[in-house]
Amino acid sequence: DSMVVDGMSGATQVANAPSFNGVLMIPPQKHATITLSMGGAVHSVSFLPGSYVQKGQVILTLENPDFITLQQTWLDAAAQIEFLEKEYARQKNLASHEAASQKQMQQSKSEYLSMKSLDASAAQLKILGMDTHHLQTQGIHPYLEIKAPLSGYVTNMNVNLGKYFNVGEPVCDVIDKHSLMLQLTAYEKDLDDLKVGDHFEFHVNGMGNQNFEAVLVSIDQMVDSTNRSIKVYARVLNPLKDFRPGMYVSALPNLDFDA
C-alpha cells in the first residue's frame, strides 16, 4: 500500500484505505430517557428543548391526586410505626424488670416489625424520587417533581401544560454530549484491518474540511445479513460543543497513532 500525507493535518494515511461513513452518537450510559413511575397531568415545565440541565434539577412537575394520597398513607404509617416502636421499647423495659410478661413484649415486637414491613408506601415514594425525611419536615407536596437523572441537554421533549402522561410513557431525554462517539459502518472485508485502539481522522458534514480525531473502542459482533455490514464504535477525542448526535461523518484510519 502506498502512503499519502494529508496536506491539511500532516497525518499519514494508506492511499487505498477504506473510508467509513457513519453518525455521531451518544453512548447508552450518557443518554437517559425519563419515563414515569406514576402518571399525571403536566403542571409546570421549567426548561425548553435544547436547554442544559444539571443532575437533580426539576424539569417538570405532574399533578395526580394519587400522589397526595400516597404521601398521606406514608405519613399515617410513619406515625403508627413510631407509636409501635415506642410501645415495643416500653414493653421491653417492663419485661427486663419482670413487671410484664415476655409474651406481651414479643407481641409488641411482632406488631412493630409487621407494620414496618407492610409499609409499601415508603418504597413507592423512593421509586418516585421522594425524600420521606423532607416529607416529614416540609409536609405534603402537591406536585410530583420529575428530575434530571444526569447533567446534559433536554431533547425529545413532547410536553405541554395539562398533557396527561401514563405510567411508563417517555416524557423527554437528557443527553450528555461530553462523551460523544462515532457509529461507523464497516464491512466483512474491513474487519481484518480494524482493532480496538486504532485512531481515525473524521470530517463532520457541514463543518468543511476540519479534521477531528477518534479512537476505536468497540466492534459489534452481529453482521447485518442484508448488506454484510457491521457497526464499529469510536470515542471522539476533544468533541466540539457544536457536535450533535445524528450528524453524518466520514472517517479514515490515521496511521500516525497506530503501532
Side-chain angles (χ1 to χ4, degrees):
D1 287 332
S2 58
M3 301 287 186
V4 291
V5 175
D6 186 330
M8 294 283 292
S9 65
T12 314
Q13 290 159 349
V14 180
N16 61 349
S19 68
F20 302 95
N21 294 318
V23 290
L24 286 168
M25 66 164 280
I26 303 284
Q29 303 92 326
K30 300 294 181 179
H31 181 162
T33 298
I34 298 178
T35 52
L36 301 179
S37 307
M38 174 180 270
V42 176
H43 172 260
S44 67
V45 185
S46 307
F47 293 95
L48 286 168
S51 303
Y52 189 83
V53 294
Q54 297 286 349
K55 182 179 179 178
Q57 275 190 299
V58 177
I59 297 174
L60 55 104
T61 62
L62 294 180
E63 201 170 347
N64 185 336
D66 291 346
F67 178 54
I68 294 171
T69 305
L70 181 63
Q71 293 175 83
Q72 188 59 59
T73 303
W74 183 84
L75 285 170
D76 291 346
Q80 212 172 336
I81 286 168
E82 192 180 353
F83 168 75
L84 290 171
E85 187 178 21
K86 283 178 178 167
E87 179 59 20
Y88 168 45
R90 192 175 75 85
Q91 291 289 354
K92 204 159 57 166
N93 185 45
L94 288 172
S96 68
H97 294 92
E98 297 182 334
S101 69
Q102 287 286 329
K103 189 178 176 184
Q104 275 179 298
M105 193 262 291
Q106 289 300 332
Q107 189 179 345
S108 180
K109 180 181 180 181
S110 171
E111 284 171 1
Y112 163 60
L113 294 176
S114 172
M115 185 66 200
K116 213 171 174 189
S117 67
L118 286 171
D119 182 23
S121 55
Q124 285 176 279
L125 287 169
K126 191 174 181 184
I127 290 169
L128 294 170
M130 184 84 196
D131 179 3
T132 48
H133 173 69
H134 198 257
L135 178 57
Q136 269 185 318
T137 55
Q138 305 291 319
I140 286 177
H141 290 224
Y143 306 112
L144 174 58
E145 296 177 334
I146 308 302
K147 298 174 183 174
L150 49 84
S151 296
Y153 293 91
V154 181
T155 185
N156 289 342
M157 200 177 196
N158 188 17
V159 171
N160 54 268
L161 296 183
K163 182 170 182 176
Y164 191 89
F165 286 94
N166 290 307
V167 174
E169 244 186 301
V171 173
C172 64
D173 292 0
V174 180
I175 56 170
D176 177 2
K177 295 200 307 180
H178 290 113
S179 312
L180 272 173
M181 296 180 75
L182 304 182
Q183 184 194 69
L184 302 171
T185 302
Y187 294 91
E188 286 172 307
K189 62 182 174 56
D190 306 323
L191 291 178
D192 274 354
D193 298 323
L194 291 173
K195 64 184 187 301
V196 169
D198 285 353
H199 281 243
F200 288 94
E201 283 216 341
F202 69 93
H203 296 97
V204 179
N205 276 21
M207 290 195 174
N209 291 323
Q210 227 178 327
N211 283 303
F212 305 102
E213 198 185 334
V215 59
L216 189 66
V217 291
S218 179
I219 299 170
D220 206 341
Q221 299 303 304
M222 284 289 287
V223 175
D224 186 307
S225 56
T226 314
N227 62 7
R228 314 308 301 160
S229 69
I230 193 163
K231 300 290 184 211
V232 299
Y233 299 91
R235 180 169 51 84
V236 175
L237 304 178
N238 308 314
L240 294 188
K241 198 167 186 262
D242 291 343
F243 285 175
R244 286 172 170 80
M247 283 179 161
Y248 284 106
V249 299
S250 56
L252 283 165
N254 184 348
L255 298 182
D256 284 351
F257 290 89
D258 297 337

